[in-house]
Amino acid sequence: LGINVEIRYYPWERSLFSANHGKTDADLFRSTVDHEKYPNLMKVNVPIGNVEIMVYTKDIQLKITGWDSVRSYRLGIIRGIKTVEKHTQGMRVERVSSFEQAFKKLNHGRSDLVISTRITSLIVLKKLGFNDIRELQPPLKTIPIYHYLHNSRSDLVPRLEEQLRSMKARGEIKTIQDRILQRLLESSNE
């Protein structure tokens, strides 16, 4: 669109707060927003990707058929991944603060499975060198991701939606995502 953009990285909740209060113009790459809590954010209604919630294991043979298929196992989950927290209520879960902690516990046999987001998990597993931990298919859940703009930028929403639809149709969004994932995986070796 010919608009210069400055990206700032904030913790998840602070990012929403800043965008909702107009301290920043947008909150990028987010699945859902509680509109009662953040009424000033408008969704750019073209998904720019997906977050896949995956199951990781070291030695369990398991057919993934939904959330109930993991119920009988000791689950490692990362605090703050709301979808995972919601769907594992009542199960044997141990919450940890980081992906690294979750996978180290799995590697040492202190949990049976880790349930987490695919991209970050792949990066962390590569960084830790845990080659014997594998990802089980299919995803437990696939969540579309959107950008959210502050109401003061509402004039941009239709233009962004048109541009993103065009980029998606040409395969540009997928190309960008693949390039970023490759870069992230390469940098996890450092």
Side-chain angles (χ1 to χ4, degrees):
L1 296 178
I3 300 170
N4 289 328
V5 176
E6 177 186 340
I7 306 287
R8 295 181 187 164
Y9 295 92
Y10 295 118
W12 284 31
E13 202 67 31
R14 184 171 159 205
S15 177
L16 278 170
F17 181 86
S18 294
N20 186 63
H21 287 86
K23 296 176 192 290
T24 57
D25 295 313
D27 187 56
L28 306 179
F29 209 74
R30 177 134 346 234
S31 58
T32 58
V33 168
D34 179 347
H35 288 289
E36 287 184 27
K37 194 172 179 182
Y38 304 103
N40 298 318
L41 297 180
M42 296 180 62
K43 179 162 74 171
V44 177
N45 207 15
V46 177
I48 56 164
N50 295 301
V51 168
E52 294 174 304
I53 306 296
M54 306 300 295
V55 177
Y56 295 87
T57 186
K58 191 167 181 180
D59 53 14
I60 292 176
Q61 298 298 320
L62 173 65
K63 181 176 174 159
I64 302 297
T65 57
W67 293 96
D68 277 340
S69 62
V70 299
R71 181 171 296 282
S72 62
Y73 297 95
R74 296 174 300 157
L75 307 174
I77 67 171
I78 296 89
R79 257 183 218 94
I81 303 178
K82 300 300 185 195
T83 297
V84 175
E85 290 176 344
K86 174 182 152 195
H87 286 286
T88 58
Q89 285 181 357
M91 296 184 192
R92 292 187 304 168
V93 300
E94 182 163 344
R95 289 170 179 78
V96 295
S97 298
S98 72
F99 288 85
E100 288 85 357
Q101 285 176 306
F103 286 112
K104 285 177 182 177
K105 290 183 70 142
L106 177 63
N107 193 53
H108 288 77
R110 297 198 329 253
S111 60
D112 300 317
L113 307 171
V114 168
I115 300 176
S116 65
T117 59
R118 183 172 192 267
I119 303 272
T120 304
S121 295
L122 291 175
I123 293 165
V124 168
L125 286 170
K126 186 165 186 182
K127 179 180 169 187
L128 294 173
F130 291 168
N131 299 322
D132 55 344
I133 293 177
R134 67 190 199 300
E135 179 183 277
L136 301 179
Q137 294 285 341
L140 281 171
K141 187 169 181 92
T142 300
I143 306 163
I145 301 297
Y146 302 90
H147 293 324
Y148 289 82
L149 270 56
H150 185 268
N151 288 339
S152 67
R153 300 296 186 181
S154 63
D155 60 312
L156 294 177
V157 171
R159 293 171 55 205
L160 279 170
E161 288 176 346
E162 181 182 336
Q163 184 65 33
L164 289 171
R165 274 189 209 95
S166 175
M167 290 174 70
K168 191 171 188 172
R170 292 189 310 261
E172 285 180 76
I173 291 177
K174 173 115 176 61
T175 299
I176 292 167
Q177 290 169 343
D178 291 346
R179 191 176 331 128
I180 290 170
L181 176 58
Q182 186 62 39
R183 231 183 268 151
L184 290 169
L185 288 171
E186 288 170 0
S187 70
S188 67
N189 287 333
E190 300 170 0

